[in-house]
Amino acid sequence: MEIFSYLGKYDYEQLVFCNDEASGLKAIIAIHDTTLGPALGGCRMWTYAREDDAILDALRLARGMTYKAAVSGLNLGGGKTVIMGNPKTDKSEAMFRALGRFIQGLGGRYITAEDVGTDVHDMDLIHMETNYVTGISQAYGSSGNPSPVTAFGVFRGMQATAKAAFGTDDLAGRLVAIQGLGSVGMQLARHIKNAGGELIVADINEDSVRRAVDELGAKAVTVKDIFEVECDIFAPCALGAVINDETIDKLRCQAVAGSANNQLAEEKHGDALHRKGVAYAPDYVINAGGLMNVADELEGYNADRAHAKVDNIYNIISNIFAMSAKDNIPSYLAADRLAEQRIAQMRNVRSNYLRDEKSLHR
Ligand code: NAD
């Protein structure tokens, strides 16, 4: 892999290789952009087939975090850590404490959090060596499980999407098809039910489906059929890449709004949704509630303040649809542009010389 040409192409700031032979730690920390503030992004542990795959994953995910934080109005940049290893067999106290020391060595330019393959316990181990970590145990003042907060943000984003698609954000009487009734999907289903909406659901976990049917009066369909049910809003809350060559023509909805990451298999599928007149809530914006929640820990966690930030996802999604309509561009592109605009504007704001710059950013 031509590392510097890739870093140059997307204007990355820093790529850090962390090696601790004794514990077996092989980690890569990617910092994409710190214009808005310290780079925050989770620590993923995964068995990568090749080193290049790990490097590319760290870089790609770090850049995604820059956009997510920027469009969410957070004063944070984008970063990510990947640990090369099997999260089931290779973890140890020494490994995460060694990583904590490498993070400490970055002096606050990067702050880590949980991600695929890591958990609260791992964050607590990192916390023994550095304060630049979020998502630690609640006993240390952390924000706890992000899923209910994420679900609330998705619900608010769904209301804004309904407004763009139907002219009203009232979900009463709207039929929403939810794919995936996990931590986020089930809670989202409750919000929709409380707002007077109706539910069609699918999950590979039969217990979850039964619960939604019994508790919420949902109609159940197979995991295959969920893509083709006639509904107002399709809410992908399970897997990535669900809007793809195979599914795009099957969808019989007027809006897509759900929590799953990377819903578009490729950007061309976002273009296709736009052409079809389907209002698509960009995934990294509508599911930013968890990030907003965890980011609040950096100011001393306050649940009310975090809730207010997540509530604002309604306005952010509304602004995206407004730009999409004004410039006739797909909503995913409008979201990227809003993020880029904010970074450019704040870079300009901060170009003003301040004598006490150092103390301001302590
Ligand atoms: P989860 O693992 O709790 O739930 C996922 C659900 O999807 C499970 O119930 C699973 O059985 C179901 N599922 C898996 N394959 C399926 C299939 N083929 N068809 C239908 N259902 C299937 O995960 P979660 O925390 O609820 O997150 C859901 C999505 O939202 C994920 O893509 C996640 O990355 C994203 N997300 C979550 C958060 C958060 O705070 N939890 C934040 C941002 C993004």
Side-chain angles (χ1 to χ4, degrees):
M1 179 179 178
E2 291 287 330
I3 291 181
F4 273 108
S5 67
Y6 191 90
L7 297 186
K9 187 172 169 198
Y10 295 110
D11 207 2
Y12 284 88
E13 291 179 11
Q14 197 172 3
L15 188 63
V16 185
F17 291 82
C18 310
N19 184 57
D20 181 60
E21 218 40 44
S23 67
L25 174 75
K26 296 213 175 336
I28 295 154
I29 302 173
I31 297 178
H32 176 241
D33 187 296
T34 57
T35 305
L36 297 175
L40 189 143
C43 171
R44 177 166 292 195
M45 186 164 182
W46 194 256
T47 42
Y48 293 94
R50 301 174 323 143
E51 283 179 12
D52 277 4
D53 296 342
I55 297 168
L56 205 58
D57 215 21
L59 288 168
R60 201 174 45 80
L61 294 164
R63 183 163 167 264
M65 292 306 296
T66 298
Y67 280 77
K68 187 167 187 155
V71 81
S72 299
L74 298 170
N75 288 320
L76 292 170
K80 203 84 182 184
T81 297
V82 303
I83 300 176
M84 298 175 65
N86 184 337
K88 293 212 173 81
T89 53
D90 297 345
K91 285 185 182 180
S92 67
E93 176 186 353
M95 171 179 278
F96 285 96
R97 292 185 67 168
L99 178 62
R101 291 184 80 81
F102 283 115
I103 292 170
Q104 179 67 15
L106 290 169
R109 282 175 48 70
Y110 168 72
I111 301 165
T112 199
E114 278 177 56
D115 200 85
V116 177
T118 60
D119 57 25
V120 177
H121 176 66
D122 304 328
M123 296 307 115
D124 284 346
L125 294 173
I126 291 174
H127 187 226
M128 288 181 189
E129 305 296 336
T130 183
N131 281 327
Y132 301 122
V133 52
T134 58
I136 50 181
S137 295
Q138 265 177 305
Y140 293 110
S142 104
S143 54
N145 177 7
S147 301
V149 187
T150 300
F152 175 63
V154 174
F155 174 66
R156 294 291 285 139
M158 184 180 283
Q159 288 178 313
T161 309
K163 175 99 179 150
F166 312 113
T168 166
D169 61 15
D170 189 356
L171 294 180
R174 294 268 166 235
L175 185 55
V176 183
I178 303 184
Q179 180 200 34
L181 294 164
S183 317
V184 179
M186 188 63 91
Q187 192 57 31
L188 173 66
R190 293 194 183 103
H191 283 300
I192 295 165
K193 178 74 182 171
N194 288 339
E198 292 178 19
L199 300 161
I200 299 185
V201 298
D203 197 297
I204 48 171
N205 182 332
E206 285 172 16
D207 288 345
S208 306
V209 172
R210 202 167 311 119
R211 197 140 46 97
V213 170
D214 294 346
E215 268 181 42
L216 306 171
K219 181 176 177 236
V221 296
T222 67
V223 293
K224 201 166 150 279
D225 288 345
I226 193 76
F227 294 105
E228 7 196 348
V229 290
E230 195 158 356
C231 61
D232 293 310
I233 303 170
F234 174 51
C237 297
L239 317 157
V242 288
I243 314 285
N244 54 42
D245 285 343
E246 214 177 288
T247 59
I248 192 108
D249 291 328
K250 292 184 181 163
L251 296 177
R252 289 195 290 157
C253 57
Q254 288 168 71
V256 176
S259 73
N261 281 315
N262 306 315
Q263 292 169 28
L264 305 174
E266 295 171 65
E267 289 187 346
K268 69 174 186 187
H269 299 110
D271 301 335
L273 288 178
H274 182 65
R275 275 197 307 275
K276 278 164 72 106
V278 175
Y280 166 66
D283 46 14
Y284 73 81
V285 188
I286 195 170
N287 71 17
L291 173 67
M292 292 172 171
N293 200 46
V294 97
D296 199 80
E297 290 180 19
L298 303 173
E299 300 171 65
Y301 184 63
N302 176 314
D304 291 338
R305 186 177 56 206
H307 188 271
K309 284 184 197 161
V310 177
D311 191 58
N312 193 44
I313 288 179
Y314 181 98
N315 294 322
I316 299 170
I317 295 278
S318 299
N319 289 341
I320 288 169
F321 283 121
M323 180 189 256
S324 166
K326 184 166 103 14
D327 298 345
N328 190 23
I329 53 170
S331 53
Y332 79 86
L333 213 54
D336 288 357
R337 282 197 193 164
L338 280 173
E340 285 161 7
Q341 275 178 11
R342 181 160 178 256
I343 293 169
Q345 283 167 359
M346 295 314 130
R347 185 177 288 128
N348 187 49
V349 164
R350 290 188 173 179
S351 66
N352 238 357
Y353 172 75
L354 286 185
R355 189 162 189 274
D356 293 330
E357 184 85 32
K358 274 197 181 132
S359 60
L360 251 182
H361 292 289
R362 222 193 318 256

